[in-house]
Amino acid sequence: MLTLHLPRRAAQERPDPRRVTLALVGLTLILTLLSLGTGAAGLSLADMARAIAGDGLDRRAAVILYDIRLPRLGMGLLVGAALAVSGALMQGLFRNPLADPGVVGVGAGASLGAVLSIVLGGMLPMSLTAVFGSYLVPFAAFFGGWAATLILYHAATSQGRTSVATMLLAGIALAALAGAVTGVLIFLADDKQLRDLTFWGMGSLAGASWAKIAAALPLIAPVLILSPLLARGLNALALGEAQAAHLGIDVERLKRLAVLGVAATAGAAVAIAGGIGFVGIVVPHLLRLFRGPDHRHLLPQAALLGGALLVAADMVARSLVAPAELPIGIVTACLGAPVFLWILLRRRGGLGI
């Protein structure tokens, strides 16, 4: 009888999902306002509000607001949501809270594509580099992530069935191979290329622009909007593939949609912002600890919390060493890892994941 009452009591202790969602919306709005007023330019949110309420923005304030801070805010929300939802999909698909978008090769492929474009981009024909311009690295990273995902998916698929275990093992092998090739390219790089590689690998929102957001939005937004449609299948998959199939879930179709969705969202996010770790694995894991594993609420809440976390990390990155800024990947790790470890140690006796 004791085992029957434990899940019920645990469920009663969890907060109402609607309240959690509203709280995350409020947190995102507060951080949005704070982000617009944070920066080394000496223009606060109050200054911009007074300018808007009066005779309008002067040229300097307009450039700071519309060309720098708003695109940076939009990219932070978009990339954070993409990484968090990708992590939630991967953890649900692999039934493992330690899974993240890197499992399907997005990170390894994107990193290799970026390194190739930085180190060997000077060897490309001038006509080709003129077409891509400053977007050569993002394009190379995106297509590298997609190529790695397709290779892994085909390697793990046989007779119309995709083996999650094979995909995981193949992902480890592919990541090792991509790391080896990346190491050779880094060995061949000059000082300027090494600096570019270092900053890209640690991630940054410094290059945010409306053009980059417009390029990534068609890939990320559909997955963010449609991912809750996979919630029922992911919930059933937690019981096992055979049980999910008995419940009427097309398991193979679910795997395809989840993998392709992760490749699109995480690939686009890494392409425009570089390598930002921690968000994809920790945000959905934290929500599972506090809200449970129901993907109907987990996926939209992960999008909100991921965006809020990245915006908060970006504010810290801009403020600590102003007028310079830290790579945002360093900030996300320093902010999130201690909190994550504290929660795990505090709740390790009651974890059911």
Side-chain angles (χ1 to χ4, degrees):
M1 295 298 293
L2 180 62
T3 57
L4 294 176
H5 289 295
L6 283 175
R8 186 180 306 169
R9 187 176 70 177
Q12 290 174 351
E13 292 174 355
R14 289 176 178 143
D16 182 78
R18 291 171 295 184
R19 293 183 178 179
V20 173
T21 302
L22 288 175
L24 290 174
V25 170
L27 175 64
T28 303
L29 291 175
I30 292 172
L31 290 174
T32 294
L33 294 175
L34 291 176
S35 176
L36 292 177
T38 301
L43 184 67
S44 68
L45 186 63
D47 294 332
M48 288 188 286
R50 283 193 296 269
I52 294 173
D55 298 329
L57 292 170
D58 58 43
R59 180 176 178 81
R60 174 175 172 272
V63 170
I64 292 172
L65 177 61
Y66 297 118
D67 295 338
I68 299 176
R69 293 188 181 175
L70 278 175
R72 189 164 185 145
L73 170 65
M75 185 183 289
L77 293 173
L78 190 65
V79 170
L83 294 175
V85 170
S86 297
L89 289 173
M90 282 294 93
Q91 291 175 15
L93 180 62
F94 284 86
R95 304 191 294 279
N96 188 332
L98 299 179
D100 71 347
V103 169
V104 294
V106 175
S111 297
L112 181 56
V115 171
L116 282 169
S117 65
I118 292 173
V119 178
L120 304 180
M123 301 180 183
L124 295 175
M126 291 296 295
S127 57
L128 186 60
T129 55
V131 170
F132 289 102
S134 60
Y135 295 98
L136 177 61
V137 174
F139 272 112
F142 176 74
F143 285 114
W146 260 92
T149 301
L150 293 177
I151 291 172
L152 284 183
Y153 183 78
H154 286 294
T157 302
S158 177
Q159 298 179 351
R161 297 183 62 85
T162 303
S163 170
V164 172
T166 302
M167 185 179 294
L168 176 60
L169 294 174
I172 295 173
L174 184 63
L177 178 60
V181 177
T182 299
V184 172
L185 293 171
I186 290 175
F187 179 77
L188 298 174
D190 58 31
D191 290 342
K192 179 182 182 302
Q193 292 169 344
L194 285 174
R195 184 174 179 83
D196 292 340
L197 289 173
T198 300
F199 279 94
W200 188 91
M202 290 186 289
S204 176
L205 301 181
S209 66
W210 293 117
K212 286 186 177 180
I213 294 175
L217 193 62
L219 295 168
I220 296 176
V223 179
L224 296 182
I225 295 171
L226 299 177
S227 60
L229 298 179
L230 303 179
R232 178 174 174 269
L234 293 173
N235 288 343
L237 195 62
L239 303 174
E241 291 189 17
Q243 290 81 355
H246 286 311
L247 292 173
I249 303 300
D250 188 340
V251 176
E252 296 306 314
R253 178 174 177 270
L254 175 64
K255 292 177 185 177
R256 288 195 300 270
L257 292 176
V259 170
L260 292 176
V262 170
T265 52
V270 172
I272 63 174
I276 299 176
F278 184 81
V279 178
I281 186 172
V282 172
V283 168
H285 198 167
L286 293 178
L287 289 171
R288 279 190 174 90
L289 291 179
F290 290 109
R291 267 297 312 137
D294 190 345
H295 289 85
R296 293 176 300 171
H297 309 299
L298 177 65
L299 291 169
Q301 289 172 359
L304 290 170
L305 183 56
L309 175 63
L310 207 59
V311 169
D314 184 52
M315 286 192 292
V316 174
R318 286 184 282 165
S319 303
L320 280 182
V321 292
E325 67 176 67
L326 289 173
I328 196 170
I330 294 176
V331 179
T332 55
C334 290
L335 286 178
V339 176
F340 184 49
L341 289 174
W342 175 77
I343 292 173
L344 286 179
L345 292 174
R346 185 171 178 263
R347 298 173 61 94
R348 60 184 172 183
L351 292 180
I353 54 178

